[in-house]
Amino acid sequence: GQYAKAEEQYKLALGIAREIGDKRSEGRHLASLGSFYLSRGRHGEAVEHHTQALGIARKLKDRKSEGNRLGELGLAHLDDLHDAAAALPWLQQSVAAWDAIWADLATDRDRVTFGDTHEPVTCARALQRAHARLGQPEEALVCAERARSRAFELLLAQQRLGGQQQQ
């Protein structure tokens, strides 16, 4: 395929973002390159680019991007490098970042909208898998129960919103 051309385009976009000083776009393009490298089996480069993107997200205090980048690093270690122990701290930080965002949501509508995003669920499930692979069934069960609790909170929020619309 067109992998060399795709890599060239990712690098071009990253260069332009850096040239114009657009840190948010730079972080996004670093993450895209990281994902591209993962798909090509270039794990070292993938982790390097995701780590750089995480640094930018933290510098910008962009909690959503930070949660995403932490999750990508955790998933890279868990699924691509097959290293659950290395994945664990990344995934724990990712879940903590998503939990902090959830805790700051003030309305049911905000929670339902946030609940429609897949990243928090993906990271929570990956954390559960990492614990299971490390022979930590109790911790894996805690992760599963937290996910069930969050799903129930979301269901209640959806029901409350539905009741408000009928009135």
Side-chain angles (χ1 to χ4, degrees):
Q2 300 274 338
Y3 296 115
K5 190 172 187 171
E7 181 178 7
E8 181 182 317
Q9 293 300 311
Y10 282 129
K11 287 181 175 180
L12 179 64
L14 175 61
I16 291 169
R18 285 179 170 160
E19 187 177 310
I20 64 174
D22 183 347
K23 285 292 191 188
R24 189 167 309 283
S25 291
E26 180 181 351
R28 194 169 43 252
H29 294 308
L30 282 164
S32 294
L33 257 172
S35 296
F36 172 79
Y37 289 139
L38 269 182
S39 74
R40 304 303 306 144
R42 294 162 61 180
H43 300 115
E45 291 169 284
V47 168
E48 177 186 326
H49 281 78
H50 282 305
T51 302
Q52 289 178 40
L54 172 61
I56 290 172
R58 286 181 166 163
K59 211 175 276 184
L60 295 174
K61 298 186 184 335
D62 181 344
R63 296 185 327 167
K64 193 172 181 181
S65 291
E66 181 179 0
N68 280 327
R69 303 301 82 88
L70 287 163
E72 289 162 348
L73 283 161
L75 287 165
H77 284 90
L78 184 66
D79 294 335
D80 297 295
L81 296 171
H82 309 288
D83 187 348
L88 200 61
W90 296 113
L91 294 169
Q92 288 168 326
Q93 290 178 67
S94 178
V95 168
W98 291 118
D99 285 349
I101 293 170
W102 175 268
D104 288 344
L105 298 174
T107 68
D108 286 338
R109 184 166 310 288
D110 290 341
R111 287 187 169 202
V112 168
T113 300
F114 180 79
D116 284 342
T117 60
H118 74 278
E119 292 91 350
V121 173
T122 299
C123 293
R125 285 183 182 151
L127 180 58
Q128 181 181 352
R129 289 191 347 252
H131 281 301
R133 287 183 191 170
L134 291 169
Q136 301 169 345
E138 295 86 7
E139 290 86 351
L141 183 58
V142 167
C143 291
E145 288 303 317
R146 287 182 74 233
R148 285 178 43 161
S149 174
R150 179 66 47 82
F152 185 63
E153 286 181 65
L154 186 58
L155 176 65
L156 292 175
Q158 289 169 332
Q159 288 176 346
R160 285 190 297 266
L161 281 176
Q164 289 173 1
Q165 292 171 353
Q166 291 175 1
Q167 293 175 356

